[in-house]
Amino acid sequence: MFESYEVDFGKVNLNWAHNVRIELEELNELLELSAQAWLYISEGGEYEITGYTKLHKFVTVTFTLTEHTVVVESVNLPSYGRIREVVINQFLAA
């Protein structure tokens, strides 16, 4: 989806991501694989993508776009409701 964009992880809490075993490679993968993720558009020009990685971890990434850069604002574990929405949307899209 955003494979042609440079990704800036400068705002990500790397200690937290490491503690919950989320690697930057997995976040890059999530941004690139639209088949495994669902994109939400938030207020103020922010985007939120929720999906699962090859290691079957559900992750939510909030980011903004500036020119050809994806600026990752935060990384979180999604709520059960959001996971459910993604699974249902993927099922309906298949």
Side-chain angles (χ1 to χ4, degrees):
M1 192 176 329
F2 297 100
E3 55 274 333
S4 65
Y5 286 74
E6 180 181 327
V7 180
D8 177 2
F9 290 108
K11 296 181 180 182
V12 175
N13 183 340
L14 296 177
N15 286 331
W16 177 86
H18 179 72
N19 285 340
V20 293
R21 302 194 188 281
I22 297 172
E23 302 295 329
L24 295 182
E25 181 180 314
E26 291 178 286
L27 300 177
N28 269 329
E29 170 192 308
L30 184 64
L31 291 168
E32 293 174 3
L33 297 175
S34 60
Q36 294 177 229
W38 204 257
L39 179 67
Y40 299 89
I41 301 172
S42 303
E43 296 178 18
E46 283 193 344
Y47 299 87
E48 180 180 293
I49 191 166
T50 299
Y52 57 94
T53 67
K54 287 182 183 175
L55 298 175
H56 305 289
K57 297 176 194 172
F58 270 93
V59 179
T60 296
V61 178
T62 305
F63 62 94
T64 56
L65 297 175
T66 56
E67 296 182 19
H68 286 292
T69 304
V70 172
V71 180
V72 177
E73 301 290 333
S74 67
V75 176
N76 291 300
L77 300 176
S79 67
Y80 173 77
R82 184 62 69 150
I83 292 171
R84 190 171 144 241
E85 285 177 19
V86 170
V87 171
I88 290 170
N89 287 333
Q90 299 229 341
F91 177 75
L92 294 174

